[in-house]
Amino acid sequence: RASSGGEWCQRPFTRRFLDLPWEDVLLPHVLNRVPLRQLLRLQRVSRAFRSLVQLHLAGLRRFDAAQVGPQIPRAALARLLRDAEGLQELALAPCHEWLSDEDLVPVLARNPQLRSVALGGCGQLSRRALGALAEGCPRLQRLSLAHCDWVDGLALRGLADRCPALEELDLTACRQLKDEAIVYLAQRRGAGLRSLSLAVNANVGDAAVQELARNCPELQHLDLTGCLRVGSDGVRTLAEYCPVLRSLRVRHCHHVAESSLSRLRKRGVDIDVEPPLHQALVLLQDMAGFAPFVNLQV
């Protein structure tokens, strides 16, 4: 404060945003709350802001490209992940139209601590990318390869051999996979698997499901939606060998009979198809417009 003519006046105190401590204030308390889409814009303000944003991105533990937008340019992804070396979660589904091995493999090499990777729909990748992931990220626990037609039995073998911590795997619509590949996965990694999706794989049948059941005692979630070759024998084996199973998806598995599902229902397993009696009552209600009282004596 200063006095002039006996009166006290207060001089305004100003401080610039970038004068705040970066590592103690801006990075942990400000930039952590800024969406990635805004960070891209913030980089363009000045060289100082660009340095601040890059320092923040270098320390990212989780990166989900969906936070940038439904589509992200290749150059933008390269800028965002250029210095990241501590990622534990990586989701790149919005990059599915262009993401290649050349884009992904360097990111994997810089981030060996990755535990969760989502590559659903990334059809431009190849077996090389999966090999780099398996070789360089030994702590991998969760992986989504849904709708990746390039995933074949050889690629899955590499994953099964080199990822001892794998717990959750999404192989939805990986149409090249056959029973032999799933059997190998079950034998190598089955003891640790908690969740597996084989949905929309017409080449997967009872042989694979039975081997999964016998080798995956901790399996909690299994999705067999649209696996047309899966039948009642596979489901019965699941009921016998998977004591902690919590959910089973068998919609459009036309060879799975209710008799094989009843044992799982009694254990409280969540199954996505209703028992035949319930289906009949729902159909009757839809036809009549009300739910009549039905007295059934067996």
Side-chain angles (χ1 to χ4, degrees), residues 101-102 105-106 108 125-133 150:
D101 295 349
E102 288 69 27
V105 170
L108 300 177
L125 297 175
S126 76
R127 192 185 300 152
R128 177 191 166 205
L130 194 56
L133 178 63
W150 51 269

Side-chain angles (χ1 to χ4, degrees), residues 36 45 139 187 202 222 255 275 292:
L36 286 173
V45 174
R139 299 186 182 183
Q187 293 172 345
L222 180 61
H255 300 295

Side-chain angles (χ1 to χ4, degrees), residues 102-131:
E102 288 69 27
D103 301 309
L104 180 62
V105 170
V107 177
L108 300 177
R110 292 194 300 268
N111 293 275
Q113 307 299 321
L114 277 167
R115 289 172 169 80
S116 176
V117 176
L119 301 172
C122 294
Q124 304 302 316
L125 297 175
S126 76
R127 192 185 300 152
R128 177 191 166 205
L130 194 56

Side-chain angles (χ1 to χ4, degrees), residues 3 19 23 25 164 188 204 225:
S3 61
D19 289 336
E23 295 190 0
V25 177
R188 294 289 293 170
V204 172
T225 303

Side-chain angles (χ1 to χ4, degrees), residues 36 62-74 77 81 89-100 103-104 116-125 143-148 150 170:
L36 286 173
R62 179 178 183 273
F63 180 86
D64 185 351
Q67 296 179 5
V68 180
Q71 294 181 336
I72 174 173
R74 175 181 272 110
L77 181 72
L81 296 181
E89 299 181 33
L90 178 64
L92 296 177
C95 311
H96 67 275
E97 291 186 355
W98 54 261
L99 187 71
S100 68
D103 301 309
L104 180 62
S116 176
V117 176
L119 301 172
C122 294
Q124 304 302 316
L125 297 175
L143 175 62
S144 173
L145 297 170
H147 302 280
C148 290
W150 51 269
D170 187 350

Side-chain angles (χ1 to χ4, degrees), residues 33-294:
R33 293 172 170 79
V34 179
L36 286 173
R37 187 183 307 179
Q38 300 302 324
L39 289 177
L40 282 174
R41 298 175 181 174
L42 191 61
Q43 286 187 111
R44 305 190 191 108
V45 174
S46 68
R47 291 182 179 179
F49 271 107
R50 186 181 305 117
S51 298
L52 175 63
V53 171
Q54 286 300 325
L55 186 61
H56 166 69
L57 295 173
L60 282 181
R61 295 294 178 267
R62 179 178 183 273
F63 180 86
D64 185 351
Q67 296 179 5
V68 180
Q71 294 181 336
I72 174 173
R74 175 181 272 110
L77 181 72
R79 287 198 303 270
L80 286 168
L81 296 181
R82 182 184 63 190
D83 300 316
E85 296 183 349
L87 287 174
Q88 296 181 6
E89 299 181 33
L90 178 64
L92 296 177
C95 311
H96 67 275
E97 291 186 355
W98 54 261
L99 187 71
S100 68
D101 295 349
E102 288 69 27
D103 301 309
L104 180 62
V105 170
V107 177
L108 300 177
R110 292 194 300 268
N111 293 275
Q113 307 299 321
L114 277 167
R115 289 172 169 80
S116 176
V117 176
L119 301 172
C122 294
Q124 304 302 316
L125 297 175
S126 76
R127 192 185 300 152
R128 177 191 166 205
L130 194 56
L133 178 63
E135 187 73 29
C137 303
R139 299 186 182 183
L140 187 68
Q141 296 175 335
R142 297 179 297 277
L143 175 62
S144 173
L145 297 170
H147 302 280
C148 290
D149 287 336
W150 51 269
V151 177
D152 57 12
L154 188 59
L156 192 61
R157 275 177 171 261
L159 189 71
D161 287 337
R162 298 186 179 93
C163 295
L166 192 63
E167 295 182 356
E168 301 178 17
L169 182 58
D170 187 350
L171 298 173
T172 298
C174 293
R175 296 182 176 88
Q176 291 196 56
L177 296 177
K178 300 180 180 180
D179 281 348
E180 293 80 6
I182 306 305
V183 167
Y184 189 86
L185 172 70
Q187 293 172 345
R188 294 289 293 170
R189 294 275 73 86
L193 281 179
R194 303 291 192 275
S195 177
L196 177 64
S197 175
L198 299 173
V200 202
N201 282 319
N203 293 319
V204 172
D206 278 344
V209 175
Q210 289 174 321
E211 200 65 21
L212 283 168
R214 296 187 180 104
N215 289 275
C216 304
E218 301 301 319
L219 190 64
Q220 299 178 19
H221 307 283
L222 180 61
D223 191 344
L224 301 172
T225 303
C227 293
L228 303 178
R229 294 179 57 236
V230 171
S232 297
D233 289 344
V235 173
R236 291 191 188 95
T237 312
L238 287 171
E240 182 176 357
Y241 287 95
C242 296
V244 297
L245 192 67
R246 294 168 53 188
S247 71
L248 177 64
R249 299 290 174 260
V250 289
R251 190 175 299 277
H252 306 303
C253 295
H254 304 300
H255 300 295
V256 174
E258 174 60 26
S259 59
S260 66
L261 296 171
S262 58
R263 183 175 173 182
L264 292 170
R265 294 192 197 278
K266 292 176 182 177
R267 282 173 26 195
V269 176
D270 178 33
I271 300 174
D272 64 338
V273 294
E274 298 291 346
L277 177 59
H278 179 83
Q279 293 176 358
L281 291 176
V282 170
L283 178 61
L284 183 60
Q285 180 179 356
D286 290 342
M287 293 174 61
F290 64 94
F293 175 77
V294 178

